[in-house]
Amino acid sequence: MATHSLQKTSAISLDKVAGTAPDLIDMYKDAETSLRESDRLGGRAAVYLVIDRSLSMTDFFNDGSVQRLSDQILSLSAHLDDDGKVPVGFFSTEMHTIARGGLLRRPQALVDVNLGAHQGRIGQLHNSLGTMGGTRYRPAMEAVIAHYRSSRAYKRGTPAFVVFQTDGAPQDAPATRDFLRSTQGENVRWQFVPFGEAEAFGVLSGLPGNTGVSAVGSDPLALSNAELYNRLVSGLPRA
């Protein structure tokens, strides 16, 4: 009897990425390698990116570290979701809201960053948001869960993979832990990506099982795409 194996494929092809966002080709290929080597290529997830906008993040915005992370996550998402976009949100003391064009369109907690319209997008959004503040995780987490629960991915049973970038421990640590515990029954993975010194993130140890930590150090630009993806994809379900 002949046996047949299903080929594990990416949600968006290399050809489409090359035609839409050619500057992301190398990141896309590196993400594919990490997914394939960890047996996660072919899996599907709704990918989110949450960005810390506390005052201490200033240098990371200015040197391009945050824009690069956004590009890396968009490239990873192209393998996991066929819509070519990643909902992105910014938080500090509270969740920032982002104005959207057109009449009767309310400000949103998360807005899409799209393939082909991604270059410089993080800087544009950051510069539109005014004063930077402190570091409270829970408002951002609540915004992500609300968005996910109203999404088609949620209705289809597709898991959410939330890349949660920060450069400091939360000022609302007990509330953060309580919220993470409350979401253990959700089909959501919280993957923290700390920028900065490791000792600042002791609060991230011992968190519930729906969380992971992929630290990148004090110089995120020095970390290769391949190494970031190797650290991130461990949080994804196997295909």
Side-chain angles (χ1 to χ4, degrees), residues 37-87:
E37 290 179 349
S38 64
D39 194 28
R40 289 173 170 86
L41 186 65
R44 297 293 181 262
V47 179
Y48 289 80
L49 175 60
V50 180
I51 297 170
D52 187 341
R53 201 169 172 275
S54 58
L55 187 59
S56 57
M57 279 289 299
T58 300
D59 289 345
F60 292 120
F61 281 100
N62 290 342
D63 72 6
S65 295
V66 184
Q67 178 65 58
R68 182 174 182 243
L69 178 64
S70 176
D71 292 346
Q72 290 166 323
I73 301 310
L74 187 59
S75 301
L76 174 63
S77 180
H79 295 284
L80 304 171
D81 194 339
D82 63 5
D83 64 4
K85 60 188 179 183
V86 171

Side-chain angles (χ1 to χ4, degrees), residues 26-232:
D26 288 345
M27 290 182 180
Y28 176 92
K29 289 181 177 179
D30 287 338
E32 180 178 7
T33 298
S34 292
L35 290 165
R36 190 182 302 280
E37 290 179 349
S38 64
D39 194 28
R40 289 173 170 86
L41 186 65
R44 297 293 181 262
V47 179
Y48 289 80
L49 175 60
V50 180
I51 297 170
D52 187 341
R53 201 169 172 275
S54 58
L55 187 59
S56 57
M57 279 289 299
T58 300
D59 289 345
F60 292 120
F61 281 100
N62 290 342
D63 72 6
S65 295
V66 184
Q67 178 65 58
R68 182 174 182 243
L69 178 64
S70 176
D71 292 346
Q72 290 166 323
I73 301 310
L74 187 59
S75 301
L76 174 63
S77 180
H79 295 284
L80 304 171
D81 194 339
D82 63 5
D83 64 4
K85 60 188 179 183
V86 171
V88 175
F90 298 79
F91 75 96
S92 56
T93 307
E94 300 294 339
M95 190 68 179
H96 292 278
T97 56
I98 302 167
R100 303 183 68 184
L103 296 175
L104 304 178
R105 300 188 71 180
R106 296 179 180 177
Q108 303 293 311
L110 295 106
V111 296
D112 295 332
V113 172
N114 299 279
L115 281 172
H118 59 281
Q119 292 182 333
R121 182 63 172 145
I122 294 302
Q124 293 170 358
L125 292 169
H126 168 59
N127 291 333
S128 75
L129 295 176
T131 303
M132 302 169 78
T135 308
R136 294 176 67 239
Y137 290 0
R138 180 160 178 164
M141 293 176 173
E142 291 175 342
V144 169
I145 287 292
H147 187 285
Y148 175 57
R149 286 175 178 168
S150 67
S151 70
R152 286 181 295 175
Y154 179 82
K155 294 170 185 175
R156 293 194 302 257
T158 303
F161 183 68
V162 185
V163 177
F164 198 102
Q165 183 277 322
T166 182
D167 80 329
Q171 295 164 315
D172 60 344
T176 293
R177 291 193 193 94
D178 288 346
F179 188 77
L180 287 170
R181 291 189 190 99
S182 76
T183 66
Q184 287 190 89
E186 303 271 0
N187 201 7
V188 176
R189 172 73 174 192
W190 304 92
Q191 196 72 17
F192 291 92
V193 179
F195 285 13
E197 299 297 331
E199 57 266 22
F201 300 101
V203 69
L204 297 181
S205 63
L207 290 175
N210 57 341
T211 63
V213 180
S214 302
V216 300
S218 297
D219 186 4
L221 294 175
L223 190 72
S224 70
N225 298 324
E227 184 56 36
L228 175 70
Y229 292 134
N230 288 341
R231 297 179 189 187
L232 281 178

